[in-house]
């Protein structure tokens, strides 16, 4: 009996020392179609390159807030509270953004309108909000592009329809109270569609140079040691011209930059192992027909399985 107890004790000890394996991850892509009037679309991928629509490529969530009731540029992240938090563009010309959350990407909280630029009475828009979690300060940062006429002289005559955007941000811990909106990024040109990734203790902002005259409309990278400002351009254009909506994911040992080639009506992508040299990989990717831009994010495979059980997938 003593030998049996000793054997069980040894087995228990080794079991406790065995390395814990993380659950397998898959890629989800939140996106919109047409003008965003029907709401949230989701696609999935197990390799990071080929994405398949969920729910027969029909909307999973209809927009409910703001006069226009759009859901463009949906950005979703999973927070440390094990909830998925989503922000989106509610209108072409509103001074706020949309927000909702979910435990499973199926059942969503009541949608709320967050008036992030209400204090700026002449602000023309709030476009393409993104969200990132700051582990150090244990808070979320939401950031977006806005044009305030006459606020910035540089780039004033180089945009479409007199738009001259800069990036702004607010922070929150609970999505009920939000800090005063602040300027996040201004380097003297029209900028939209920024997405920030923390890579090797440095913050990289992948942004769209929205200059129209002369046309640029391409993706560049700015870097900072702080999430909340100090970004400086670190690259010339890394993408083709006339693209928008960048989103970035690590796929195996490379970084993949996805974007919407909106004038050519398809998604495009580039790949890099050093974040300096990029190659176009359009022939290696596939997305549902009619996909507009959004956000790539990783989830446990169990989350996808739950979605597949709930919605019929289209391959």
């Amino acid at each position: 009996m003593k030998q049996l107890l000793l054997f069980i004790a040894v087995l228990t000890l080794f079991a406790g020392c065995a390395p814990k394996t993380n659950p397998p991850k898959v890629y989800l892509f939140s996106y919109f179609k047409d003008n965003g009037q029907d709401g949230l679309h989701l696609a999935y991928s197990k390799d990071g390159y080929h994405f398949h629509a969920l729910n027969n490529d029909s909307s999973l969530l209809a927009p409910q807030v703001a006069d226009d009731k759009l859901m463009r540029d949906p950005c979703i992240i999973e927070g440390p509270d094990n909830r998925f938090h989503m922000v989106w563009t509610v209108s072409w010309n509103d001074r706020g953004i949309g927000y909702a959350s979910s435990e499973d990407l199926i059942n969503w909280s009541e949608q709320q309108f967050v008036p992030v630029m209400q204090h700026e009475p002449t602000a023309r828009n709030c476009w393409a909000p993104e969200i990132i979690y700051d582990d150090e300060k244990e808070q979320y940062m939401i950031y977006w592009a806005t044009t305030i006429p006459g606020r910035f002289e540089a780039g004033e005559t180089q945009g479409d329809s007199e738009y001259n955007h800069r990036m702004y941000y607010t922070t929150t811990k609970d999505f009920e109270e939000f800090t005063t909106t602040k300027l996040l990024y201004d380097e003297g040109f029209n900028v939209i569609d920024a997405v920030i990734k923390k890579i090797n203790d440095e913050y990289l902002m992948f942004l769209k140079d929205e200059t129209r005259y002369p046309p640029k409309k391409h993706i560049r990278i700015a870097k900072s040691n702080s999430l909340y400002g100090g970004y400086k351009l670190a690259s010339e254009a890394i993408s083709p011209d006339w693209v928008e909506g960048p989103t970035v994911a690590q796929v195996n040992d490379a970084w993949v930059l996805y974007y919407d080639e909106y004038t050519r009506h398809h998604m495009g992508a580039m790949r890099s192992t050093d974040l300096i040299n990029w190659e176009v990989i359009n022939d290696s990717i596939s997305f549902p027909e009619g996909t507009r831009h959004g956000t790539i994010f990783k989830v446990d495979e169990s989350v996808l399985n739950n979605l597949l059980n709930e919605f019929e997938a289209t391959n």
Side-chain angles (χ1 to χ4, degrees):
M1 176 63 71
K2 289 183 179 180
Q3 289 179 328
L4 177 61
L5 291 175
L6 179 61
F7 179 70
I8 293 173
V10 171
L11 284 179
T12 302
L13 177 63
F14 274 103
C17 295
K20 295 181 179 180
T21 58
N22 293 322
K25 296 282 188 178
V26 296
Y27 301 86
L28 292 182
F29 177 48
S30 58
Y31 62 102
F32 71 100
K33 304 191 75 170
D34 193 28
N35 194 34
Q37 68 274 14
D38 72 339
L40 171 67
H41 291 252
L42 283 179
Y44 73 93
S45 173
K46 294 189 176 181
D47 64 5
Y49 295 100
H50 300 95
F51 286 82
H52 312 283
L54 288 161
N55 196 32
N56 291 316
D57 205 15
S58 296
S59 169
L60 283 74
L61 179 67
Q64 300 293 331
V65 298
D67 291 340
D68 290 346
K69 289 185 172 58
L70 299 181
M71 192 172 279
R72 296 173 60 88
D73 320 300
C75 173
I76 299 175
I77 69 166
E78 186 174 8
D81 55 357
N82 296 318
R83 289 190 69 84
F84 295 96
H85 300 274
M86 177 172 68
V87 292
W88 67 90
T89 304
V90 298
S91 168
W92 285 93
N93 51 9
D94 214 318
R95 289 181 286 157
I97 62 174
Y99 167 75
S101 67
S102 173
E103 291 184 348
D104 54 12
L105 299 171
I106 299 168
N107 304 290
W108 289 86
S109 68
E110 182 179 355
Q111 297 173 33
Q112 69 184 80
F113 177 82
V114 186
V116 292
M117 296 302 286
Q118 207 67 33
H119 62 290
E120 293 282 0
T122 63
R124 294 184 61 182
N125 60 334
C126 293
W127 284 0
E130 293 272 337
I131 184 169
I132 186 172
Y133 185 72
D134 182 350
D135 294 295
E136 295 179 3
K137 294 190 175 183
E138 297 183 337
Q139 64 184 12
Y140 297 88
M141 184 176 87
I142 303 170
Y143 53 102
W144 65 92
T146 287
T147 287
I148 303 175
R151 184 62 54 89
F152 300 98
E153 182 177 352
E156 203 170 59
T157 62
Q158 295 176 299
D160 298 283
S161 304
E162 298 183 350
Y163 281 108
N164 189 24
H165 311 82
R166 298 299 187 272
M167 301 303 303
Y168 295 84
Y169 78 95
T170 183
T171 64
T172 182
K173 291 180 180 290
D174 56 13
F175 296 96
E176 295 178 3
E177 296 184 359
F178 299 84
T179 59
T180 302
T181 293
K182 295 182 180 179
L183 180 67
L184 175 63
Y185 179 71
D186 167 34
E187 279 203 275
F189 64 95
N190 192 354
V191 57
I192 65 171
D193 290 2
V195 57
I196 298 171
K197 286 286 185 182
K198 187 177 183 181
I199 303 173
N200 299 328
D201 295 322
E202 189 174 38
Y203 295 95
L204 274 65
M205 179 187 288
F206 297 81
L207 56 90
K208 180 188 178 185
D209 185 336
E210 181 66 346
T211 301
R212 174 65 177 87
Y213 305 104
K216 294 187 178 179
K217 306 283 188 173
H218 48 226
I219 310 303
R220 304 178 70 178
I221 299 175
K223 295 183 179 182
S224 176
N225 292 322
S226 168
L227 175 59
Y228 303 99
Y231 292 90
K232 299 296 180 184
L233 283 172
S235 79
E236 296 297 328
I238 61 172
S239 75
D241 292 349
W242 296 99
V243 305
E244 63 185 10
T247 184
V248 185
Q250 188 169 17
V251 180
N252 299 322
D253 60 349
W255 289 96
V256 179
L257 169 68
Y258 315 81
Y259 42 75
D260 184 351
E261 299 198 24
Y262 62 105
T263 63
R264 296 177 283 274
H265 309 294
H266 61 77
M267 293 292 290
M270 305 190 76
R271 181 171 52 204
S272 175
T273 56
D274 59 9
L275 297 166
I276 298 172
N277 302 290
W278 295 85
E279 62 171 334
V280 174
I281 57 167
N282 284 15
D283 292 341
S284 300
I285 65 167
S286 59
F287 285 82
E289 185 177 357
T291 292
R292 300 300 311 279
H293 47 276
T295 300
I296 305 283
F297 58 107
K298 291 181 181 180
V299 300
D300 290 346
E301 193 168 27
S302 60
V303 174
L304 172 61
N305 291 336
N306 191 34
L307 286 164
L308 290 171
N309 287 334
E310 181 73 19
F311 303 112
E312 179 182 354
T314 301
N315 294 311

